[in-house]
Amino acid sequence: MDSTEVMVSPDPTTRQVPDRLEALVDALRALLGDGAVSTDLSARERASVDGAPMSPILAAQLPLGLADIVVFVKDPATVPEIIALAVGHGIPITPRGKGTGNYGQAIPLHGGVVLDLSRASRILEVGDGFITAEAGATLIAMEKAARKTGQQLWMYPSTTGSSIGGFLAGGSGGTGSIAHGSNDSGFVVALDVVHGWTDPQLISVEGERASGYVHAYGVTGIILRATVKLEPAQEWSSLYASFDTFAEALPAVRDLGRSSPSPRLVSADVPFVANVLPSDPEGIPSDRASLRAIVDPDAVDAASALIESHGGRVEVVRPGFRGSVKLSMLSYNHPTYHLQKSDPDRYFHLEVGGEALFDRIDDVHAVFPGSMLHIEAAHTVPIGMLNALYESPEQVAAGITRLQEIGVGVHSPHQYYVDYKVDSARALAAVNDPAGLLNPGKLVT
Ligand code: FAD
């Protein structure tokens, strides 16, 4: 899909055939018991939403879909049979973790079954350099389990309560990504997955084969267990700094991101956005650009000197892992979330990336009225969220073109299609889901 395309074609929810739905409900209840299968409207509505309202363009189209049946999975061993039953009845299945994805990825556009995997959340093994967990395990639970063995996750998203299945299938990176890149850059060791087949099977994939399920929204298969990489744990310190202006903070973000040992996170915001973050007068003073970094304790002095050399002021340094999680929850899409909460219905955002964010910030900010970049140091080039005042889909599309002209990479969060490695996702889905029943509507054909 062309990234300039921000208009989604409303994909009318397909009414499922009532007889087949009823037969499937009976079969699922016989397999799992009544408590695991719900057709209550409130449960179906709760299972059919995610963070899509963060996009005014998607918000205008909601509800985009409604589950007919919600299945709560406790034991992943039951999933191959659940999928086989649903496929056998010709009913779609949309997997769901914690529903924190922000583009409608988890909305069941064609109704059918929403497979809620959040209760299948056991951590199965913490080994030397790896952790294995069920799909519903949260990233924060996995990080804590790893730390008990003197290790830490390569990365986790700012939504620390997201599930590992949802993070792999819908997310892309977060705290730890400066050193390790995206969640498709060697983070995944192995996956156990289920395909959209009538023959119930659990399939184990490793390495490159596992990559086909990352950021594919479940259209190539449903992740039941994941083994991901750990590294030796570091104690972390949370460093809060401020600058007179955002432009002064940018070179500090760039140089900190490239410093060694690698920080776990470096984020910065314009004063307006810093003012709407959760109140922390000691760390985030009013009306100043805010820079926040999670750094190795041995690097605090060097990081502080670097910040001061760029005209910044270190406000506070808080030692310890717990504080670093709090700081993570102010990164990536969270400033956008707080901005939108402070003034609903005014703002939209684009995911942006590239050196132009450092080099041409005035040009970047000039593209939209009220533009405010939230920036993250990342593995290769910086990435961020460009927040701005919303006028219309056409305004957003024209701005994307202009941003690309000035060298900014753009991902539009205003559509729900798979837009990562689309050709290989389509080829894999053709084999793994021949009837097109896994999260249908998310793959553009
Ligand atoms: P869900 O939202 O439930 O699902 C996400 C997608 O994966 C859906 O398409 C769903 O169908 C599919 N899926 C879910 N479980 C499975 C499974 N077991 N097998 C196959 N497919 C499955 N993302 C980041 O990468 N980094 C961030 O720092 C980050 N920050 C965010 C901040 C905010 C405020 C918000 C709203 C979102 C943010 N996101 C971020 C996006 C989102 O939090 C991540 O994508 C998250 O990891 C999704 O996890 P989840 O359990 O909520 O998945």
Side-chain angles (χ1 to χ4, degrees), residues 36 70 99 193 291 378 391 437:
V70 187
V193 296
L291 182 152
E391 289 167 5
L437 291 169

Side-chain angles (χ1 to χ4, degrees), residues 144 173 303 419:
K144 284 180 178 167
D419 59 358

